[in-house]
């Protein structure tokens, strides 16, 4: 399935488009998206530190997702790097 | 008369009326309430010794609003069910002195209002999907350090 991954915060500096497309197997979990993101970052985002990837959560529009969660059927997810509102 | 328990959670453009502290206090008012607590967060001139000229907030709006509401509901459960909470956060580029966030809590007594207001602003800072980029006098900019949400269910 194709994932539409929304980018926020420091991830916006790695590419001009606000959405990244990643391919994962149908029915895959968030862990597969995390692995696909790591591979993409290693190949295309030289400024992306491994520590940022490790500290990044995944989310739908409604909730944070655990690595063992099934990816949303519509393929729409967001990267949530460390937050600092307020 | 308004409900004795209510939540309003908003994301607003810079300097929008939703960020007006008076509006927040009005929302948390109730004839049965004798206490109101208010927190206003503004962009400050200096941070870690650097001259700040502006701050830009990036934000995942649907999840941010859902998180604000969840945090406020926790205060109703943990502090008192008779509580009105208002939380609004700016989205976009702010100048020094602009309001970034406003939180207000109203309750029968000051203790509950203080506790709820404090709990909500701490939740907004540590759990909401919001990112701050500071712009400095020398023309450079940096994303601020933040709290990882992996322990919140992300990993």
């Amino acid at each position: 399935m194709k994932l539409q991954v929304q980018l926020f915060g420091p991830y916006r500096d790695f590419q001009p488009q606000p959405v990244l497309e990643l391919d994962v197997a149908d029915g895959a979990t968030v862990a597969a998206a995390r692995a696909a993101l790591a591979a993409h970052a290693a190949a295309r985002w030289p400024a992306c530190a491994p520590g940022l990837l490790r500290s990044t959560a995944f989310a739908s529009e409604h909730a944070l997702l655990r690595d063992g969660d099934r990816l949303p059927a519509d393929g729409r997810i967001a990267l949530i790097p460390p937050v600092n509102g307020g | 008369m308004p409900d004795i328990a209510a939540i309003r959670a908003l994301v607003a453009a810079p300097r929008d009326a939703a960020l007006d502290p008076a509006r927040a206090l009005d929302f948390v008012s109730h004839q049965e309430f004798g206490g109101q607590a208010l927190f206003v967060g503004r962009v400050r001139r200096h941070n870690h010794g650097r001259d700040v000229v502006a701050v830009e907030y990036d934000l995942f709006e649907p999840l941010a609003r859902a998180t604000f509401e969840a945090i406020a509901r926790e205060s109703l459960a943990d502090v008192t069910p008779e509580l009105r909470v208002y939380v609004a956060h700016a989205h976009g580029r702010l100048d020094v002195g602009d309001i970034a966030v406003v939180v207000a809590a109203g309750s029968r007594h000051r203790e509950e209002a203080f506790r709820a207001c404090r709990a909500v602003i701490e939740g907004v800072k540590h759990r909401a999907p919001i990112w701050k980029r500071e712009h400095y006098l020398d023309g450079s900019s940096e994303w601020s350090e933040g709290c990882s949400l992996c322990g919140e269910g992300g990993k």
Side-chain angles (χ1 to χ4, degrees):
Chain A
M1 69 189 292
K2 279 209 184 304
L3 297 177
Q4 303 284 321
V5 185
Q6 290 192 74
L7 306 180
F8 293 101
Y11 283 101
R12 288 197 190 267
D13 292 345
F14 300 147
Q15 64 174 52
Q17 302 84 3
V19 176
L20 169 69
E21 275 201 357
L22 291 176
D23 281 309
V24 295
D26 287 347
T29 64
V30 171
R34 187 179 290 282
L37 174 69
H40 179 88
R44 307 290 293 275
W45 293 345
C48 181
L52 178 61
L53 293 173
R54 282 195 298 272
S55 59
T56 293
F58 288 73
S60 68
E61 290 191 351
H62 312 291
L64 293 172
L65 303 170
R66 295 177 183 275
D67 276 9
D69 289 343
R70 187 74 54 93
L71 287 162
D74 64 3
R76 291 164 56 86
I77 57 172
L79 296 187
I80 310 293
V83 300
N84 46 30
Chain B
M1 189 183 300
D3 291 343
I4 205 159
I7 294 167
R8 182 162 291 168
L10 303 167
V11 169
R15 295 169 289 282
D16 188 273
L19 295 162
D20 182 349
R23 180 172 289 204
L25 288 173
D26 184 58
F27 180 79
V28 302
S29 295
H30 191 282
Q31 287 184 357
E32 298 298 327
F33 288 175
Q36 293 179 326
L38 174 72
F39 175 83
V40 178
R42 293 181 185 268
V43 177
R44 62 174 175 266
R45 171 75 65 191
H46 294 99
N47 196 26
H48 299 302
R50 302 191 70 178
D51 292 316
V52 176
V53 294
V55 164
E56 176 186 349
Y57 283 101
D58 191 16
L59 189 151
F60 185 22
E61 183 163 346
L63 185 58
R65 279 192 280 102
T67 304
F68 296 165
E69 288 170 8
I71 293 164
R73 280 197 304 273
E74 289 168 16
S75 278
L76 267 78
D78 298 343
V79 179
T80 174
E82 296 180 336
L83 182 71
R84 293 178 65 88
V85 176
Y86 184 101
V87 52
H89 200 291
H91 184 192
R93 186 177 172 114
L94 306 181
D95 297 328
V96 170
D98 281 344
I99 292 177
V101 60
V102 58
V103 173
S107 60
R108 289 185 182 273
H109 305 287
R110 67 185 183 282
E111 171 69 15
E112 292 85 356
F114 274 129
R115 282 173 58 201
C117 186
R118 181 65 188 257
V120 171
I121 185 57
E122 295 300 333
V124 168
K125 292 182 85 75
H126 297 131
R127 293 165 53 190
I130 301 171
W131 301 274
K132 179 168 71 174
R133 182 174 210 157
E134 289 183 333
H135 294 264
Y136 304 109
L137 191 59
D138 63 7
S140 65
S141 67
E142 277 182 16
W143 293 102
S144 299
E145 297 285 317
C147 299
S148 173
L149 299 189
C150 289
E152 294 269 336
K155 201 170 182 182

